[in-house]
Amino acid sequence: PFPTPAHTRVSQERRPHPKTMPKEEAPALTAHQRQINTAISFCEGRNWTILAVALRHCWGNGFLDVFRAYFKDHAALFTGMSYGMGSTEHTLEQHECFSNYLKLYEDRLADYIEKDPDGPRASVGDFYRELAEAKEQGGMDPGTQEFIHCLVASADYDSFYSVMVREAQKLELLEAQMKARGDLPEVAEAKGAVSSPSKGGKGCDDDDDDEGKGYK
């Protein structure tokens, strides 16, 4: 039998009205993302347009992962070292590792600023000019100040050294845990699987396929 008007009315009453359907909400921003947006707005408000675009890129995982990988791949050169620049003697291999990192950082940053279709397509010299102005600028919130500081520190050996010591300590802890479980053969340790600076660690090569901003 065909539905009666009453059946139709009941059916329509049970059917959700299109206007009452719940709307899909955008995911909430993390505190880190909000800080990035605040820093970008601050730079845009002072007409630092190149720096504003670079900020978002430099804090994206696509940029940072290259350097995170570099830090992990070269952490063995810094095993046995302690925090504090004057606490231990630094080897030539460690300084070479920093030089290779710095070239990787500067090359990838310059490529994005000058050549990337999604970048500002501007001079990298103008980027550093805006960064220098931002460094001297006062009145910014702590989050923005931190982001500017990290961009500046990305080219600083002291900051690089602190990051590498932290990565080396993670590596030493992991190897100690593996050894305790019997997962790390004693022969590997005897052969110097992890070369410490005091034993003359291996030199670093440019790691262009791997991750500055800086040190997060």
Side-chain angles (χ1 to χ4, degrees):
F2 292 102
T4 64
H7 290 153
T8 303
R9 184 172 62 255
V10 171
S11 176
Q12 290 175 341
E13 289 173 354
R14 292 175 180 172
R15 189 180 306 153
H17 194 278
K19 293 184 179 180
T20 62
M21 292 290 287
K23 294 182 179 180
E24 185 176 348
E25 296 182 0
L29 295 177
T30 65
H32 182 71
Q33 290 170 328
R34 288 195 297 271
Q35 283 185 336
I36 292 174
N37 290 341
T38 300
I40 291 172
S41 297
F42 181 87
C43 293
E44 290 175 339
R46 281 150 183 80
N47 204 31
W48 298 330
T49 55
I50 305 172
L51 183 57
V53 175
L55 272 174
R56 188 179 300 278
H57 176 72
C58 290
W59 268 266
N61 285 330
F63 186 79
L64 289 178
D65 285 348
V66 176
F67 302 101
R68 289 168 180 155
Y70 186 91
F71 299 150
K72 290 179 181 178
D73 290 345
H74 299 83
L77 284 172
F78 293 81
T79 54
M81 305 294 283
S82 58
Y83 289 108
M85 288 296 296
S87 58
T88 49
E89 184 178 352
H90 301 269
T91 66
L92 292 176
E93 289 87 353
Q94 291 169 342
H95 285 286
E96 182 183 2
C97 187
F98 171 70
S99 296
N100 292 339
Y101 152 77
L102 188 59
K103 184 177 187 304
L104 175 64
Y105 170 77
E106 291 177 343
D107 286 351
R108 295 185 77 95
L109 181 61
D111 283 346
Y112 172 74
I113 290 174
E114 297 182 340
K115 303 174 183 178
D116 195 296
D118 296 327
R121 304 297 290 269
S123 164
V124 71
D126 288 340
F127 163 78
Y128 283 113
R129 176 184 56 77
E130 291 184 359
L131 181 58
E133 290 179 9
K135 182 182 176 182
E136 301 300 324
Q137 175 72 47
M140 61 183 70
D141 67 279
T144 301
Q145 193 170 26
E146 177 191 357
F147 289 131
I148 298 300
H149 168 75
C150 287
L151 273 179
V152 174
S154 294
D156 177 69
Y157 179 76
D158 292 12
S159 298
F160 172 81
Y161 174 75
S162 296
V163 171
M164 295 307 295
V165 170
R166 184 176 66 222
E167 288 297 326
Q169 290 176 348
K170 291 179 184 177
L171 179 63
E172 290 174 309
L173 178 60
L174 176 61
E175 290 189 340
Q177 292 172 341
M178 293 175 65
K179 184 177 178 180
R181 295 196 304 264
D183 296 337
L184 186 65
E186 293 290 339
V187 65
E189 189 174 271
K191 291 181 179 179
V194 177
S195 301
S196 67
S198 60
K199 297 177 182 178
K202 297 180 181 178
C204 295
D205 297 323
D206 282 329
D207 226 341
D208 291 321
D209 293 333
D210 294 317
E211 160 191 305
K213 148 201 162 184
Y215 311 101
K216 293 297 286 182

